[in-house]
Amino acid sequence: MSSVSLQNLEISYGNVAIVKSLDLTIQDGEFLVLLGPSGCGKSTLLSAIGGLVDVSGGRILFNDKDVTWADPKDRGIGMVFQSYALYPTMSVERNLSFGLRIAGIDRATIDKKVKWAAELLQITHLLDRKPSALSGGQRQRVAIGRALVRDADIFLFDEPLSNLDAKLRAELRLEIKKLHKTLKSTMIYVTHDQIEALTLADRIAVMKDGIIQQLDTPLNVYNKPANEFVGSFLGSPAMNKVEGQLVADGDRLVFTAGDFRLDASHYPFAQKVEGGRKAVLGLRPEHILPAKGDAQAIEGKVSLIEPMGSSILAWSNFDGVSLSHLVGQDDGCEADRTFPVTIDVQKASFFDVETGWRL
Amino acid sequence: MGAELSRHVKRNLVAYIALLPMAIVVIFAYLGTMAWSVRLSFSSSKLLPRYDFVGADQYLTLFDTPRWLTSLGNLAVIAFFFLLICFLLGTLLAIFIDQNVRAESLFRTVFLYPYAMSFVVAGLIWQWILNPDLGIQHTMHGFGFTDFVLDWVVNSEMVLYAVILATVWHGAGLVMALILAGLRGVDTEIWRATRIDGIPAWRVYVSIVLPMLRPMIITSLVLLSISIVKMYDVVVAMTNGGPGTASEVPAKFIMDNLFERANIGLATAASTVMLVTVLLVMAPVIYSQYFRKSGRAS
Amino acid sequence: MMSQAKSANASKRPLTYQEVWGRIGIYTFLGLLALFFLLPLYVMLVTSFKSMDEVRLGLIFSLPQHFSLDAWVKAWTSACTGLDCTGLQVGFGNSVKILVPSVVFSILFGALNGYALSFWKVKGANVLFACLLLGSFVPYQVFIYPLVRFYAQTGIYGSLPAIVITHIIFGMPVMTLLFRNYYSGLPVELFKAARIDGAGFWKIFISIVLPMSVPIAIVAVIMQVTAIWNDFLLGLVFAGRDNLPMTVQLNNIVNTTTGERAYNVNMAATVLTSLVPLTVYLVSGRWFVRGIASGAVKG
């Protein structure tokens, strides 16, 4: 059991700063997901926590113990890699036991641990095979098993599911979640897949350019994105963005963009906003609902519909602003016809035009 | 910074120790010997090294030595014809073999086997074949063509072409193997596209495929060039520099002055000239080939 | 493969006149050149099976009328270099003595250097490696004299260790390059996983990296066996009188005989000297080509 604390961490390759003065505390037993586009520094950060990359400043603490310069093997971590990184010349059993053998642990204990991990991951029948004789999903199970047998306090996952097909990915995602429930270990998980992040995490840290943009629960990150980047990085289909102005209309604030108007008086502003401020409206497609005889409904002209299976994504024009919105299969939305909707402004987001931060 | 550096070294100490032999070899066997050779070229060393300083005297003497000038001229002639013929012949062989011929692997084996043989062997065997009293000329005379003359190895006008013949025989297969490997790597769809466009095959080779094989072509030219500069064994075995000095080459000039003529100063001056030439030519090639798109290790 | 794509069409319909002539042209070109390339080997073989009388009277390209192994026996057991008439077997033995340790150690150093260069961060290592590569392009003549002096100072000049060390030195650039490029192609995550498993520098090298190196080690063996066996210059300078390799002895036998030249013996000796690299070449096939290619280009 371990907590992890990163203090003022800096990582750079030559003159290029990969991670910039980063502070992050991960609770004991927490499942933290580092989410971001490729090149945002999330994998480098994970490698630094594992001791595989030298940091150029700051400290890494495990349980208040400084491990900034400790050897990887002395940190009590297990790590799972995207490419599985199984030792190709060794059998599955030897892959699992390699670390324990190096540590000089006695044969009986090794066998017990390997057996336990293999059973937990249902790979007992594969123990004698070479990695080349395994499927992608089986290889990843072995890779997870290798981390398990180490009795690690902290598990590091570096995009472990990215090389798998969609079905296996869903299956192993569930497996990892169960594992976390069983072991109650601290887990740090790097991914660029928002579904993995949202389903697995206790908290998500969204990263961009080596800086954490937002650190919060999956729901909050999704519903109350801290800035424009987070808002558009999460969510599929993507968030609509409309640039406009917040103007005072009596005692109410109204968002306007050309002829498009949206009453913002029920929006929970985080700060006092004066009329006349330029802002970007962020609206998720599922927050524009088909109007069922509501008074505040606005009419849009549907230009294109994309059936997505369970629902339909419609692109409509509202007073000169094009927005995508989700409609049900039976709502009777057709291209080139008008369609009434209501916009749930409490679930919308407003961002500052200049800084991109949430208002 | 100092603390950081020492921490880095400490974490990777074993790696530093493991690279020690390589460091020693580079610093002493390569750089050290180079420096020593260059140093001696500015001394008056004869049989034994002397550490006086005579300026550029050795270089002036060197470029006043007919044998050295001959060997430089010879090297230029050999380099030009050898590179040209080897490259053209090797490329043609590769393209012809690539025409889906039967017994392809047999042809490949035949064209490349000389490359596996020693230069000494290449020199000896062509010396025999071109020997007027034994080889082709003798055979033609035996058939009654008594006017037939093929005396390259003993004719100071033609002896260089005998050397070129032997080295082309030795090296053309290398070009063939590399170009053929390159041809096999060309995307099938490129061939399909050119067929749809109706481009004749020879045009495709000249305008599309060979430019794509640039790395292979550079590689083979680099390998051939190295073998020219180092050319020694084949000349020693084939002509021993003769007749007279007609097939003298720089590497042999240096060896003779080092070990037979006891003129170390002159030999090291000559080797310095070769060193500088090679560095000037090779440094950019090495840089672009090996370091521009350097691996993740750096 | 493109040749299959091209041929797929050709085989389905009868060939046109033009194509028939094209095929004839291709096979004529390749056939004639094959004859040119095979000519030396043919001459050496037929001559080596002739008696000296037949060589003197007959023609070099004709087949032997009386098949005889005498020249081969003589070349192997009693051909003379100067006054010493013990045959090529001495040179063969010397070449083997030089070859085995030189190949083993140069490959070990190449693997170790390549591993340290591609997986470990050692400051200045890439500069060293660049110098090493550059050194491989420099003619041996630049290094030879200082090395001779150095060996003379340490008292090993003209001995087996001297020539073995020399081969290790001059084999290091290409061996290091070969292994470095191979290891750069291995996933770096493998190395990270081993670090987390607690393996150190040597443990990773021996347990994980070396067992994965078999394919490239085969290429390395082929390259080094061929190169060291065929070496002439280094053997001549460094091996010393008692350890002269086969190539040097061959040249001495052929080029220093007085009186009538025994061409049949000389040619048998030449074939004998070529047997080891030729066998390696014929057995290794495409691995040989792979060695040539990977020795010079990245990847």
Side-chain angles (χ1 to χ4, degrees):
Chain A
M1 296 289 139
S2 236
S3 68
V4 176
S5 171
L6 312 179
Q7 298 176 351
N8 201 20
L9 205 66
E10 307 257 359
I11 306 169
S12 47
Y13 289 151
N15 292 327
V16 186
I18 308 291
V19 170
K20 299 157 193 162
S21 67
L22 183 139
D23 286 291
L24 177 62
T25 301
I26 300 149
Q27 304 302 325
D28 182 16
E30 182 174 0
F31 199 119
L32 181 98
V33 172
L34 293 168
L35 176 68
S38 53
C40 72
K42 56 191 192 301
S43 282
T44 308
L45 179 61
L46 194 74
S47 286
I49 297 173
L52 298 166
V53 166
D54 287 352
V55 305
S56 37
R59 298 203 302 163
I60 301 172
L61 306 180
F62 286 3
N63 271 346
D64 302 324
K65 191 169 146 256
D66 191 331
V67 296
T68 316
W69 294 99
D71 205 64
K73 69 170 190 299
D74 302 326
R75 297 188 180 208
I77 50 170
M79 190 158 175
V80 181
F81 298 92
Q82 177 178 358
S83 67
Y84 325 126
L86 299 179
Y87 312 129
T89 55
M90 300 183 193
S91 68
V92 168
E93 192 275 333
R94 283 199 71 94
N95 261 284
L96 294 178
S97 62
F98 184 63
L100 302 176
R101 285 164 197 266
I102 289 174
I105 290 168
D106 67 280
R107 197 59 242 187
T109 316
I110 292 179
D111 286 344
K112 212 173 76 195
K113 282 194 172 165
V114 168
K115 189 160 168 283
W116 165 74
E119 275 170 11
L120 199 61
L121 294 161
Q122 299 146 42
I123 50 171
T124 313
H125 60 295
L126 305 173
L127 282 177
D128 293 330
R129 295 211 200 154
K130 286 274 174 69
S132 56
L134 302 180
S135 69
Q138 290 170 332
R139 287 181 204 187
Q140 198 51 286
R141 280 168 194 270
V142 176
I144 294 171
R146 187 169 59 186
L148 282 184
V149 296
R150 291 183 50 75
D151 268 346
D153 299 319
I154 301 164
F155 287 88
L156 308 178
F157 293 89
D158 191 359
E159 310 225 10
L161 307 181
S162 298
N163 282 2
L164 300 172
D165 63 46
K167 192 163 165 284
L168 265 174
R169 212 180 302 164
E171 196 180 309
L172 270 166
R173 202 168 66 207
L174 202 65
E175 201 86 22
I176 291 173
K177 186 142 193 169
K178 275 191 208 154
L179 210 60
H180 180 236
K181 226 177 138 190
T182 315
L183 300 171
K184 298 185 175 60
S185 317
T186 310
M187 293 189 176
I188 307 176
Y189 188 106
V190 162
T191 184
H192 63 266
D193 182 317
Q194 47 169 313
I195 305 294
E196 279 171 31
L198 294 169
T199 50
L200 289 171
D202 291 329
R203 282 192 302 161
I204 298 175
V206 185
M207 283 185 75
K208 184 193 164 202
D209 298 336
I211 292 168
I212 292 182
Q213 308 288 315
Q214 186 171 12
L215 174 65
D216 213 328
T217 62
L219 278 182
N220 279 342
V221 169
Y222 187 79
N223 290 329
K224 292 189 165 50
N227 59 24
E228 221 180 306
F229 169 78
V230 175
S232 46
F233 188 75
L234 273 98
S236 173
M239 179 184 256
N240 294 293
K241 284 195 282 188
V242 185
E243 203 173 319
Q245 206 172 11
L246 286 162
V247 292
D249 181 7
D251 55 350
R252 300 183 310 167
L253 269 179
V254 176
F255 176 79
T256 63
D259 291 337
F260 180 80
R261 291 172 66 83
L262 181 68
D263 181 1
S265 52
H266 293 294
Y267 177 78
F269 280 103
Q271 50 193 288
K272 179 95 179 89
V273 172
E274 303 291 338
R277 179 145 184 185
K278 287 206 161 94
V280 173
L281 165 67
L283 260 183
R284 295 203 183 279
E286 66 267 33
H287 296 150
I288 306 172
L289 301 165
K292 303 246 161 57
D294 287 334
Q296 295 139 358
I298 53 174
E299 291 255 306
K301 180 140 193 280
V302 183
S303 56
L304 201 69
I305 60 168
E306 294 181 84
M308 297 177 41
S310 59
S311 56
I312 294 169
L313 185 67
W315 293 84
S316 308
N317 194 306
F318 300 94
D319 300 325
V321 170
S322 177
L323 298 173
S324 62
H325 55 103
L326 284 177
V327 294
Q329 287 173 336
D330 304 326
D331 289 339
C333 180
E334 282 175 49
D336 299 327
R337 301 265 287 273
T338 56
F339 190 80
V341 298
T342 53
I343 295 173
D344 187 351
V345 77
Q346 288 185 35
K347 291 190 173 158
S349 302
F350 286 106
F351 305 110
D352 186 274
V353 168
E354 302 289 321
T355 63
W357 287 97
R358 187 184 185 83
L359 295 173
Chain B
M1 260 339 253
E4 206 175 294
L5 184 68
S6 78
R7 200 153 44 189
H8 162 84
V9 172
K10 211 163 153 190
R11 273 164 71 85
N12 295 289
L13 187 64
V14 196
Y16 279 88
I17 294 171
L19 279 176
L20 215 54
M22 178 170 122
I24 291 171
V25 164
V26 169
I27 291 167
F28 292 100
Y30 283 93
L31 300 179
T33 52
M34 274 188 216
W36 196 355
S37 274
V38 173
R39 168 68 189 90
L40 286 178
S41 75
F42 292 103
S43 74
S44 65
S45 307
K46 284 286 180 192
L47 177 61
L48 289 172
R50 280 185 223 148
Y51 294 97
D52 56 350
F53 186 78
V54 295
D57 276 10
Q58 299 286 9
Y59 292 89
L60 293 175
T61 316
L62 182 69
F63 282 95
D64 219 21
T65 307
R67 223 180 123 190
W68 169 251
L69 297 174
T70 310
S71 66
L72 279 186
N74 289 348
L75 192 69
V77 173
I78 294 174
F80 177 77
F81 285 105
F82 171 69
L83 282 180
L84 188 74
I85 300 173
C86 230
F87 181 71
L88 287 182
L89 185 62
T91 307
L92 276 180
L93 284 173
I95 290 176
F96 274 77
I97 286 183
D98 196 36
Q99 303 310 308
N100 195 40
V101 296
R102 281 161 205 270
E104 179 197 309
S105 72
L106 181 69
F107 279 121
R108 271 196 335 232
T109 309
V110 166
F111 295 137
L112 186 57
Y113 89 90
Y115 191 73
M117 312 254 260
S118 147
F119 271 118
V120 175
V121 170
L124 290 177
I125 184 61
W126 281 102
Q127 178 208 322
W128 289 321
I129 292 177
L130 297 173
N131 183 338
D133 300 328
L134 177 74
I136 294 174
Q137 181 180 323
H138 180 67
T139 308
M140 294 305 269
H141 287 190
F143 285 136
F145 301 99
T146 43
D147 293 337
F148 185 87
V149 177
L150 186 71
D151 60 351
W152 289 7
V153 281
V154 292
N155 179 339
S156 52
E157 297 275 305
M158 296 304 289
V159 67
L160 283 186
Y161 300 96
V163 174
I164 291 167
L165 180 65
T167 48
V168 165
W169 175 78
H170 187 265
L174 167 82
V175 180
M176 177 216 64
L178 286 171
I179 301 282
L180 189 58
L183 289 175
R184 291 293 149 85
V186 172
D187 191 350
T188 322
E189 302 205 334
I190 288 194
W191 278 102
R192 292 192 182 158
T194 56
R195 277 176 54 119
I196 302 238
D197 289 344
I199 302 170
W202 68 270
R203 249 344 271 272
V204 180
Y205 277 113
V206 173
S207 308
I208 299 171
V209 174
L210 287 181
M212 287 172 72
L213 301 188
R214 222 179 73 110
M216 296 291 173
I217 293 172
I218 292 179
T219 302
S220 47
L221 290 181
V222 166
L223 287 176
L224 295 180
S225 309
I226 300 172
S227 70
I228 294 175
V229 178
K230 293 187 172 172
M231 181 177 292
Y232 173 74
D233 323 13
V234 66
V235 172
V236 168
M238 196 169 186
T239 65
N240 207 15
T245 59
S247 58
E248 199 66 55
V249 286
K252 189 169 167 298
F253 177 90
I254 297 170
M255 292 298 287
D256 290 350
N257 276 292
L258 277 182
F259 295 102
E260 279 163 32
R261 295 162 172 242
N263 199 341
I264 288 163
L266 195 65
T268 48
S271 63
T272 306
V273 172
M274 288 179 79
L275 171 69
V276 171
T277 316
V278 167
L279 291 186
L280 284 180
V281 175
M282 287 302 166
V285 176
I286 292 196
Y287 178 77
S288 64
Q289 283 286 89
Y290 303 99
F291 284 96
R292 200 179 38 187
K293 281 174 283 177
S294 171
R296 52 133 217 280
S298 50
Chain C
M1 294 273 84
M2 62 162 241
S3 30
Q4 284 156 1
K6 275 187 292 180
S7 69
N9 273 17
S11 57
K12 273 179 202 149
R13 60 186 165 79
L15 295 174
T16 65
Y17 253 133
Q18 227 182 347
E19 283 167 334
V20 170
W21 282 111
R23 299 311 281 177
I24 292 175
I26 289 171
Y27 283 107
T28 313
F29 176 84
L30 289 177
L32 286 177
L33 277 163
L35 287 182
F36 165 75
F37 275 87
L38 284 172
L39 184 76
L41 192 61
Y42 169 79
V43 168
M44 283 194 287
L45 283 174
V46 292
T47 310
S48 68
F49 291 120
K50 291 173 184 170
S51 70
M52 203 47 216
D53 285 342
E54 208 185 323
V55 174
R56 218 175 289 131
L57 298 172
L59 299 174
I60 195 172
F61 297 107
S62 57
L63 287 167
Q65 284 168 320
H66 306 286
F67 189 85
S68 152
L69 281 174
D70 292 353
W72 287 72
V73 175
K74 191 160 181 237
W76 181 251
T77 58
S78 61
C80 300
T81 47
L83 295 173
D84 192 14
C85 292
T86 45
L88 262 182
Q89 52 177 331
V90 182
F92 180 85
N94 290 340
S95 276
V96 172
K97 275 192 291 182
I98 295 169
L99 185 75
V100 173
S102 302
V103 169
V104 169
F105 285 111
S106 62
I107 289 176
L108 277 181
F109 276 117
L112 181 62
N113 293 343
Y115 160 69
L117 283 171
S118 37
F119 287 115
W120 293 80
K121 288 199 197 79
V122 173
K123 287 194 198 311
N126 271 327
V127 177
L128 276 183
F129 180 55
C131 291
L132 192 65
L133 275 184
L134 204 59
S136 73
F137 293 98
V138 175
Y140 291 149
Q141 282 75 14
V142 178
F143 312 114
I144 280 182
Y145 186 70
L147 281 179
V148 167
R149 298 291 302 176
F150 169 75
Y151 291 139
Q153 290 284 314
T154 46
I156 58 167
Y157 179 54
S159 71
L160 200 57
I163 180 65
V164 170
I165 291 172
T166 311
H167 278 306
I168 293 171
I169 289 174
F170 290 122
M172 196 175 272
V174 73
M175 287 296 106
T176 303
L177 178 70
L178 193 69
F179 281 95
R180 172 188 177 266
N181 287 351
Y182 181 75
Y183 293 148
S184 298
L186 298 181
V188 72
E189 294 185 339
L190 210 56
F191 169 76
K192 291 184 175 178
R195 288 290 302 279
I196 287 179
D197 267 341
F201 184 92
W202 296 108
K203 187 77 188 172
I204 296 177
F205 183 54
I206 291 164
S207 298
I208 294 164
V209 172
L210 276 189
M212 294 175 71
S213 308
V214 175
I216 201 67
I218 293 174
V219 172
V221 168
I222 293 167
M223 289 174 76
Q224 284 300 85
V225 168
T226 318
I228 293 173
W229 192 273
N230 286 339
D231 160 68
F232 174 79
L233 177 63
L234 300 178
L236 178 68
V237 175
F238 293 104
R241 220 164 238 298
D242 299 333
N243 302 304
L244 289 179
M246 210 172 181
T247 47
V248 177
Q249 210 193 355
L250 170 71
N251 190 52
N252 289 346
I253 288 175
V254 173
N255 280 334
T256 63
T257 37
T258 47
E260 190 192 28
R261 286 173 183 265
Y263 288 115
N264 55 348
V265 176
N266 289 349
M267 297 210 193
T270 311
V271 178
L272 279 170
T273 309
S274 308
L275 275 184
V276 166
L278 266 186
T279 311
V280 168
Y281 169 68
L282 291 175
V283 170
S284 63
R286 65 194 171 82
W287 292 87
F288 186 86
V289 179
R290 205 181 143 189
I292 297 173
S294 54
V297 269
K298 194 170 153 46

